[in-house]
Amino acid sequence: MSTTEQTAPLLEVRGLSIEAKGPDGPLVLTEGTDLTIRPGQTLGLVGESGSGKSMTGLAMLGVLPPSVRVRAGQVLLGGTDLIALPEKELRAVRGGRIGMVFQEPRRSLDPSFTVGDQVAETIRAHREVSRKQARNLAVELLDRVRIPDPGTRAGQYPHQFSGGMCQRVMLAVALAGEPEVLIADEPTTALDVTVQAAMLRLIKDLQEELNLGVLLITHDMGVVAEVCDDVAVMYAGQVAEVGPVRDVLSAPRHPYSAALRDATPDECRRGELLQAIPGQIPPPSAWPSGCRFHPRCSLAVDACREAAPDVLQLGRTRVRCARATENLTENSANNSTNNLTENSTNDSTENSTNNSAKNEGAGHGAR
Amino acid sequence: MGRSGPRVAGGGMAGAALRRVGGGMAGVALRRVGSAILTLLVVVIVVFLLQQLVPGDPAVAVAGKDASAELLAQIRHQLGLDQPFFLQLVDYVWHAFTFDLGTSIQDSRPVTEMLAEALPVSLSLAVVAMGFTLVIGVVLGTLAALRPGSWLDRTLVGGSAVALAVPPFVIGLLLQNVFAVKLGWLPVIGYTAFADNPVQWFTGLILPGLTLASLSSAEVARQLRGNLIDTREQDFIRTLRAKGLTWPNVLFKHAFRNAAAPMLTVLGIQLGQVIGGAVIIEQVFGLPGLGQTGVTAILAKDYPVVRGVVLVCAVLVIALNLLVDLINVKLNPRTDLR
């Protein structure tokens, strides 16, 4: 992984706020989102369901549902603000400069057309080629996303494909316009565990070949750890913490990032109880005052309840937490782990390798 | 899975018998044809049984109330009524499949000859009515679906509810009174054969065609509107937008293709209604079609003709439904999944 500072940004989201029509006036879904995607790099946008991460992805392409709209902010692609772009020019960007892959691959393809047609149609929407050329290019693209026997498969319908194969077709559709940016909204969530890794590998390989900037929207910190260069952690419509994956995962500054990391099976050491974050993410209509995470935060103090925290730049990460400078998060992660594995309370000073060795037997039953 | 199943009696049995035919589009088509033929057989038997259920002796109808017993016996023999019930049935079915439907009691003409005269009239009416249904239904349904909840949508939905509620013959009389009698734009009654004068053929069928289409086009418009609105909310529409297609392309190529299949099924059901409705509408507009032939025959207790009319109507409905099914197989790739 190269350092993020090296390359110029490809796509920048600045102060993006999204609102939905509600019965009692507009309802704010996301607020002040800042993201940067660089060529050849992957930014993970991670958060629980309802955090606003998918809406952010849709807003970048201007394909929000009818009742949802951008309230403020910019999406800058090579200096052009996509939010202000007229529909006709935006259409050239959609599928042209930015490709998008969705969560439910099978439902995201038109059941009444062959997959070859659906890829070829995208090619023809963005490139001046004949019908026949488009068809040949479509077969090439299907081959590129490693669909076996692409010539035959191009003539088949989505229902004749497995979920993983449908997602490969979606990827071919997303790449048909030769994009610079790929937005992947939970691309592996609906897939079998066995094909998830292959899918991520494929995205990674294509990214290297084409020097794509990738925005990977996911709820899975394990996926982030595996494929992302940077990560933005989203909570209740705001980015809680954003920075290089290594920094955020090894030393999360925001208690939510820490909790999310500890709630990931991959990050949980053998023998330890998998952490769950107490409570639920509130709906946009019930966001608390002050810091939006404070009702679920074990480190919350009165200040967190009273005032919304500012965004602080700490090293290479930016974090939205009033107590981020106190460097409490590292301890808290250990503390909460220890509290839950009761028999280690006396050994809190011991190193964690010892702890996990001791708890191995009990932990297996717990998992 | 996506198989709607034959809508007429005998289909289940046919499906089971023909399952061996195998998958693929041709297999599905073959199964549909097979079940249509079996349905036809059932219809012929039911049409025969119809006669047994009707009160009154056909021989009396022919010879009159005061006829002697010998005369009645002679007529019964001529009509084959003295044969055992089962033999009569086999005889009827056999002849039906060789296009011999007996002789009219009233006119002493072969029933098939009478039907051959009436059929083109009814078919013309059905074709024109279905044409109107498709054009009006598709245009209105699409317009309404473009902006759900708009004044246009609400007007069309309300209007279609009215069209469905008013009996077709009332609409027919209304249209006839305004456009033929008052304004004199179109003929009041009568039929011109297509071969004689295609223009007059069409102008004569505009009003009865519109009358029949009023009901079915309202149904088709409602169905298409609903399907289009549902389809627009599907995930794949978002993909189509995200890959940079224009709205008209998304709507008319993709959404329409997906909404058309269920609409066709409704159209198939409407076809049956149109043929049924034609009986009354032919009376209103003085068209010498199957409906008029049937009504005259019923009043005269001319049962071979009645059976012939019922049979031809049933065959028409089966054939048109088969056609709709086959188009559906072609339109909906998931049909051949089984």
Side-chain angles (χ1 to χ4, degrees):
Chain A
M1 282 181 213
S2 50
T3 49
T4 39
E5 283 79 10
Q6 278 178 341
T7 43
L10 185 59
L11 190 140
E12 273 186 290
V13 176
R14 283 195 197 151
L16 184 70
S17 297
I18 302 169
E19 65 179 19
K21 271 186 222 157
D24 315 310
L27 195 61
V28 177
L29 300 181
T30 73
E31 215 169 43
T33 307
D34 293 322
L35 300 170
T36 305
I37 299 167
R38 293 168 204 278
Q41 304 235 318
T42 304
L43 170 66
L45 184 57
V46 68
E48 290 168 88
S49 326
S51 58
K53 55 191 194 308
S54 287
M55 284 300 165
T56 304
L58 294 176
M60 289 162 74
L61 270 189
V63 289
L64 286 167
S67 58
V68 181
R69 66 184 197 94
V70 171
R71 179 198 184 92
Q74 292 176 309
V75 175
L76 297 169
L77 178 67
T80 322
D81 182 11
L82 302 184
I83 302 297
L85 217 55
E87 176 72 19
K88 200 181 163 194
E89 287 168 52
L90 192 56
R91 217 158 42 223
V93 174
R94 289 183 193 139
R97 297 185 67 188
I98 305 179
M100 189 155 182
V101 171
F102 297 97
Q103 179 171 351
E104 292 280 352
R106 207 189 291 270
R107 283 196 283 146
S108 296
L109 290 166
D110 187 334
S112 300
F113 288 83
T114 64
V115 300
D117 277 348
Q118 296 188 56
V119 178
E121 159 182 80
T122 320
I123 295 171
R124 276 171 64 77
H126 297 285
R127 291 192 246 168
E128 293 287 330
V129 292
S130 72
R131 237 166 242 283
K132 200 175 168 194
Q133 279 173 310
R135 211 175 307 132
N136 293 337
L137 285 168
V139 175
E140 267 172 45
L141 267 168
L142 292 176
D143 188 40
R144 195 160 200 180
V145 295
R146 296 175 204 157
I147 289 176
D149 194 11
T152 314
R153 295 296 254 167
Q156 295 182 338
Y157 293 91
H159 73 263
Q160 293 164 299
F161 286 69
S162 69
M165 284 295 151
C166 277
Q167 195 59 292
R168 282 165 197 262
V169 173
M170 278 299 292
L171 206 52
V173 167
L175 297 177
E178 299 176 318
E180 303 150 60
V181 179
L182 175 70
I183 302 176
D185 186 357
E186 304 261 11
T188 58
T189 306
L191 304 182
D192 283 346
V193 183
T194 47
V195 292
Q196 283 184 0
M199 193 69 215
L200 289 174
R201 186 73 251 159
L202 177 61
I203 293 177
K204 204 74 203 157
D205 289 350
L206 290 166
Q207 171 178 39
E208 272 162 32
E209 273 174 55
L210 306 166
N211 201 29
L212 287 169
V214 175
L215 177 69
L216 184 71
I217 302 171
T218 178
H219 63 271
D220 189 342
M221 268 292 193
V223 169
V224 170
E226 227 169 287
V227 298
C228 294
D229 302 293
D230 293 306
V231 61
V233 179
M234 222 170 167
Y235 184 81
Q238 291 176 329
V239 175
E241 181 168 2
V242 56
V245 167
R246 253 187 298 181
D247 297 9
V248 174
L249 284 182
S250 63
R253 302 280 189 167
H254 197 289
Y256 182 64
S257 312
L260 210 56
R261 180 194 65 176
D262 295 336
T264 309
D266 297 4
E267 289 296 310
C268 182
R269 281 163 294 218
R270 253 171 82 93
E272 281 177 10
L273 207 60
L274 184 60
Q275 299 292 298
I277 307 170
Q280 277 186 325
I281 192 166
S285 54
W287 282 338
S289 61
C291 173
R292 286 183 187 165
F293 187 58
H294 87 254
R296 300 173 75 187
C297 183
S298 57
L299 300 168
V301 293
D302 285 346
C304 302
R305 289 173 197 106
E306 280 151 21
D310 292 325
V311 178
L312 303 170
Q313 180 84 44
L314 297 171
R316 289 187 295 175
T317 60
R318 273 181 293 130
V319 59
R320 197 188 288 265
C321 175
R323 303 190 70 192
T325 50
E326 296 174 44
N327 202 14
L328 289 162
T329 48
E330 193 68 2
N331 294 335
S332 87
N334 284 339
N335 278 342
S336 55
T337 312
N338 290 342
N339 289 344
L340 278 159
T341 50
E342 279 174 10
N343 51 354
S344 65
T345 35
N346 296 333
D347 310 327
S348 54
T349 47
E350 270 184 46
N351 65 46
S352 46
T353 336
N354 246 348
N355 267 348
S356 48
K358 249 177 142 181
N359 298 337
E360 193 117 17
H364 269 304
R367 272 178 92 172
Chain B
M1 260 179 74
R3 187 162 182 271
S4 58
R7 277 171 298 277
V8 260
M13 184 177 68
L18 291 157
R19 203 146 291 159
R20 274 171 278 119
V21 173
M25 220 171 245
V28 174
L30 215 61
R31 273 201 295 273
R32 295 278 201 275
V33 173
S35 74
I37 290 171
L38 276 180
T39 310
L40 194 59
L41 182 68
V42 173
V43 165
V44 173
I45 293 171
V46 169
V47 164
F48 170 77
L49 293 177
L50 215 62
Q51 157 67 18
Q52 311 297 318
L53 296 173
V54 174
D57 189 336
V60 175
V62 177
K65 267 183 195 152
D66 307 323
S68 66
E70 292 82 29
L71 184 60
L72 285 176
Q74 194 192 335
I75 291 169
R76 279 200 193 97
H77 181 72
Q78 273 175 5
L79 293 174
L81 295 174
D82 55 349
Q83 298 280 321
F85 173 77
F86 186 70
L87 266 184
Q88 283 186 49
L89 172 67
V90 171
D91 194 55
Y92 181 76
V93 172
W94 171 248
H95 281 108
F97 276 95
T98 53
F99 298 103
D100 176 7
L101 296 172
T103 310
S104 163
I105 294 170
Q106 205 185 10
D107 288 6
S108 309
R109 290 168 64 202
V111 173
T112 40
E113 193 184 303
M114 295 171 70
L115 293 176
E117 279 169 18
L119 187 61
V121 182
S122 289
L123 269 184
S124 299
L125 179 56
V127 166
V128 170
M130 282 331 282
F132 282 139
T133 297
L134 261 180
V135 172
I136 298 170
V138 168
V139 168
L140 293 188
T142 309
L143 283 177
L146 281 179
R147 289 175 183 279
S150 66
W151 65 267
L152 181 71
D153 178 38
R154 289 201 301 270
T155 310
L156 292 174
V157 171
S160 74
V162 172
L164 289 172
V166 178
F169 75 91
V170 174
I171 295 175
L173 289 170
L174 210 71
L175 288 176
Q176 192 179 46
N177 198 13
V178 174
F179 292 102
V181 179
K182 292 253 167 64
L183 295 170
W185 293 351
L186 295 162
V188 182
I189 55 162
Y191 174 79
T192 314
F194 184 82
D196 294 348
N197 188 335
V199 176
Q200 275 183 29
W201 170 82
F202 183 67
T203 52
L205 288 170
I206 289 178
L207 290 180
L210 276 177
T211 307
L212 276 176
S214 66
L215 194 115
S216 49
S217 62
E219 194 54 61
V220 167
R222 265 164 41 132
Q223 181 74 25
L224 183 63
R225 172 188 175 274
N227 292 344
L228 274 175
I229 290 172
D230 285 351
T231 307
R232 275 179 65 169
E233 279 162 13
Q234 306 247 325
D235 281 357
F236 70 80
I237 298 292
R238 188 180 58 193
T239 309
L240 297 171
R241 282 178 69 206
K243 68 189 199 182
L245 299 191
T246 61
W247 232 146
N249 202 343
V250 172
L251 188 76
F252 291 110
K253 186 173 167 193
H254 290 274
F256 207 82
R257 172 80 170 260
N258 281 280
M263 188 200 73
L264 261 178
T265 306
V266 169
L267 200 66
I269 297 167
Q270 291 305 314
L271 277 167
Q273 306 233 2
V274 162
I275 289 168
V279 173
I280 295 165
I281 299 308
E282 281 176 12
Q283 297 296 309
V284 174
F285 290 96
L287 301 173
L290 287 173
Q292 221 172 55
T293 310
V295 170
T296 314
I298 288 167
L299 292 176
K301 291 191 180 159
D302 191 348
Y303 74 92
V305 179
V306 176
R307 289 204 294 213
V309 169
V310 172
L311 195 61
V312 169
C313 287
V315 170
L316 274 180
V317 171
I318 291 169
L320 291 170
N321 269 316
L322 179 65
L323 187 70
V324 167
D325 273 352
L326 293 180
I327 294 173
N328 244 335
V329 171
K330 183 89 191 124
L331 260 179
N332 186 356
R334 279 165 298 182
T335 321
D336 69 351
L337 186 64
R338 269 173 10 116

